[in-house]
Amino acid sequence: MNIPSTIWTLLVGIVLTAASFWLGQNHGLLPTAASDEAFLVDGLFNTMMTVSVGIFLIVEGVLIFSAIKYRRRKGDDTDAEPIHGNVPLEILWTAIPAIIVLGISVYSFDVYNEIGGFGSHAVHESPIAPQATSMPGAAIAATLDDASDVRNIDQLPDTENAPGTGIVSPSLGATPENQGTQPDLVVKVTGLQYAFLFNYPESGVMTGELHVPIGKEVYLDMTANDVIHAFWVPEFRLKQDLIPGRQTELRFTPQVAGDYKLICAELCGPYHGAMNATVVVQTPEDFDNWIKEQQVASKETFNQAVAVNPAEQSADEFLAHYTSEMGISSEMLHQIHN
């Protein structure tokens, strides 16, 4: 029984469509989707995979079919039938890719806008109010300048380079329902060669590890202290640059508990590959407990530093024991201060 070519075309089309949809949704190429924004990006990626798999199967299928069916037969030395082109077919295979590219472009724009890509272009004030922070070990370092006052060093190293200059790029991660609202958690992020520093202004905690609670919108106010860095967590599907002298921002809502790797995605120097940190997504209860632990640890470190170096000791006197072991004389230390 001869099956009409139209039926074969229909059957092949159904099989290719089913295979494209299945592979496009079950490719397993992406890491865990750990934020609300990740699901939007994954939808776009899966759509592109579906279209790409369909085009690949059609093109490769036609090539293989043509190579087999129209191969030169043994003993056949005749010339092939001359073909002068097919204008309607050329228009068709030009129009279809153009429509696909246009559709993906519109979809991409919509996703970018959904995660706040065009939510804020103008320079504006950060919601973070200037506030002193606490960092373990900072009090001891203060004795180099003033042994009797450790408060002056309790600030991020970028405050002189980026004095509230606002943002130079759109806010990423603020979904439409969250745009214009106050975030649940504010964290100030500073990038420097080769580490990230995280400052929690509301609690006065500074750390090298980012902790965020599940289901709470997190606002990151970011800047760099030296060169351009980038904040990129693959599981969040969001990336934002940290720029010296400027402030950029990123908003996201984590949804899956776990430890995730924060990667600097901008070449920032010879040790760029080692610049990473850990992002810990935890329950709100565990996050509150972690904040309290950091506050207690910072306070204990501060008290120990004050106890070790009473106010009546000068910086030279306090450091004399340590510098003598390092072979540094008091005259050399005095020259450093001057």
Side-chain angles (χ1 to χ4, degrees):
M1 183 178 69
N2 292 328
I3 300 177
S5 59
T6 53
I7 301 299
W8 276 115
T9 302
L10 178 61
L11 293 175
V12 171
I14 292 175
V15 172
L16 289 179
T17 301
S20 300
F21 273 105
W22 189 87
L23 290 174
Q25 302 297 322
N26 300 276
H27 48 76
L29 297 176
L30 297 175
T32 301
S35 70
D36 284 348
E37 295 72 21
F39 294 101
L40 295 172
V41 177
D42 286 3
L44 172 61
F45 186 86
N46 292 341
T47 299
M48 295 176 66
M49 278 294 299
T50 299
V51 174
S52 300
V53 169
I55 294 176
F56 175 82
L57 292 177
I58 292 174
V59 172
E60 295 303 317
V62 171
L63 286 176
I64 295 174
F65 173 79
S66 299
I68 295 175
K69 181 175 178 59
Y70 301 107
R71 69 187 185 278
R72 186 176 69 86
R73 308 292 178 176
K74 185 177 181 180
D76 183 5
D77 296 327
T78 61
D79 292 334
E81 181 181 350
I83 298 176
H84 299 285
N86 188 317
V87 175
L89 185 60
E90 293 177 2
I91 294 176
L92 181 64
W93 69 42
T94 301
I96 291 178
I99 294 173
I100 292 175
V101 170
L102 180 61
I104 292 178
S105 299
V106 173
Y107 189 8
S108 301
F109 179 87
D110 183 63
V111 170
Y112 184 62
N113 194 43
E114 283 287 318
I115 62 174
F118 290 94
S120 176
H121 282 281
V123 174
H124 61 78
E125 293 293 331
S126 168
I128 302 177
Q131 188 171 344
T133 61
S134 300
M135 183 172 74
I140 296 177
T143 57
L144 290 172
D145 295 322
D146 189 346
S148 63
D149 189 354
V150 299
R151 295 171 297 175
N152 295 331
I153 53 83
D154 286 332
Q155 51 184 302
L156 284 170
D158 67 332
T159 51
E160 293 183 359
N161 294 339
T165 52
I167 66 169
V168 294
S169 61
S171 167
L172 288 178
T175 53
E177 60 271 15
N178 291 329
Q179 291 181 16
T181 62
Q182 288 297 320
D184 299 304
L185 176 66
V186 174
V187 183
K188 187 173 178 62
V189 183
T190 301
L192 64 158
Q193 296 173 314
Y194 296 92
F196 292 96
L197 293 179
F198 306 100
N199 171 28
Y200 296 76
E202 295 181 359
S203 57
V205 171
M206 183 187 291
T207 179
E209 191 174 76
L210 178 61
H211 286 243
V212 293
I214 295 176
K216 303 294 183 180
E217 189 189 26
V218 181
Y219 173 96
L220 302 182
D221 185 29
M222 305 186 296
T223 190
N225 195 43
D226 35 43
V227 299
I228 296 178
H229 300 281
F231 183 101
W232 178 45
V233 181
E235 289 79 5
F236 295 163
R237 311 289 195 270
L238 294 172
K239 173 185 173 294
Q240 182 65 287
D241 288 343
L242 287 72
I243 305 172
R246 289 289 183 267
Q247 290 172 299
T248 54
E249 57 185 43
L250 186 65
R251 297 175 72 161
F252 63 94
T253 304
Q255 292 295 351
V256 180
D259 296 352
Y260 305 102
K261 190 174 183 180
L262 165 60
I263 303 170
C264 176
E266 293 287 350
L267 182 60
C268 57
Y271 300 102
H272 158 74
M275 183 172 174
N276 54 68
T278 301
V279 179
V280 180
V281 179
Q282 51 195 166
T283 63
E285 295 76 16
D286 291 340
F287 174 77
D288 292 338
N289 292 333
W290 176 81
I291 287 291
K292 293 176 182 178
E293 292 173 358
Q294 297 302 309
Q295 290 173 329
V296 171
S298 298
K299 185 176 180 180
E300 290 179 352
T301 302
F302 178 85
N303 292 336
Q304 291 173 3
V306 173
V308 169
N309 182 28
E312 61 269 13
Q313 282 189 324
S314 66
D316 291 348
E317 292 172 338
F318 174 72
L319 295 172
H321 172 70
Y322 304 98
T323 55
S324 62
E325 295 181 353
M326 299 170 61
I328 301 175
S329 64
S330 58
E331 291 79 8
M332 295 172 60
L333 187 62
H334 182 71
Q335 291 178 2
I336 292 176
H337 287 314
N338 295 334

